[in-house]
Amino acid sequence: MIRTFVFALIAAIGLTACATPAQQYGADGKPLPKVYRITARDEAKIQYGMLDSINALRAVSGAPAVELNANLNAAAATHSRDMHVQNRPWHFGSDGSSPLDRVARSGYSGMMHGENISETYETELETLSAWMAQADTRDIILDPRATDIGFAWFQEPTGKLWWTLLIGARTELASS
C-alpha cells in the first residue's frame, strides 16, 4: 500500500513538472510577449552567438567573416542604454550625437558602415531575423567591406530590450 502511494506521488510530481503554463493573450487577441531575461553571465554567449550567426549569413552571401570589436561593442552598449533613457529607438543620442560620433568617441580607428537598432522583447536571433527581413538593415549586415561588428543591448526591468549592432571596417582594409 505504501509502495503504491509513493509510486503515485512520484508520478503526480513528475506530471506536474511537465505542465506548461497557458499562453496569455492581450486585448488585441495576440499572444503577450514572453520575457527573455539576460544575465551578466550571458553576455559573451550572446555576443559570440550573434557573431557566429552573422558570419554564417555573410558566408552564404559571399561576404567575408567579421570579428567582434571591443570599441564597437562599447559604442553599441552606450547607444542601447541611451535609447532606453530616451524611450525611443532611433539613431541619434540624447546629446545629439550620430552613430559616426559615437563610434569615433569609442576610439574605433576604422570606418563605421552602418548601425541597426531595435526595441523589442525578442531574443537576439529573433531580432537578427527581423533585420534580415528588411533590405536596408540586411544590407548593413551583409556589407562586404565590413571587418568588425559591435553588438550590445540594454534590458529594462520589464524585460524590454534595446539592441544595437554596429558594422565597421578597419582603416587599413577600408581604404583598399
Side-chain angles (χ1 to χ4, degrees), residues 36-146:
Y36 174 61
R37 278 285 166 219
I38 300 174
T39 67
R41 291 181 303 204
D42 298 327
E43 183 174 358
K45 179 180 136 207
I46 289 171
Q47 284 183 320
Y48 282 101
M50 179 62 89
L51 176 67
D52 291 344
S53 297
I54 287 173
N55 279 333
L57 292 166
R58 290 175 62 82
V60 169
S61 76
V66 293
E67 298 175 4
L68 278 173
N69 178 276
N71 297 88
L72 292 179
N73 283 343
T78 298
H79 190 55
S80 292
R81 180 176 290 278
D82 193 41
M83 287 190 296
H84 153 72
V85 168
Q86 296 180 72
N87 196 32
R88 63 178 168 179
W90 77 323
H91 294 284
F92 294 93
S94 56
D95 61 356
S97 62
S98 72
L100 292 170
D101 297 328
R102 289 190 303 278
V103 167
R105 278 188 217 153
S106 77
Y108 183 66
S109 61
M111 178 181 289
M112 190 206 74
H113 287 273
E115 176 182 73
N116 289 344
I117 58 173
S118 182
E119 168 196 20
T120 186
Y121 287 89
E122 295 178 332
T123 69
E124 65 278 4
L125 295 181
E126 290 170 318
T127 301
L128 177 59
S129 178
W131 286 335
M132 290 301 291
Q134 299 293 320
D136 57 340
T137 51
R138 180 179 53 247
D139 290 346
I140 291 169
I141 293 166
L142 301 179
D143 186 336
R145 302 168 298 169

Side-chain angles (χ1 to χ4, degrees), residues 9-20:
L9 181 63
I10 290 171
I13 291 171
L15 288 174
T16 58
C18 295
T20 57

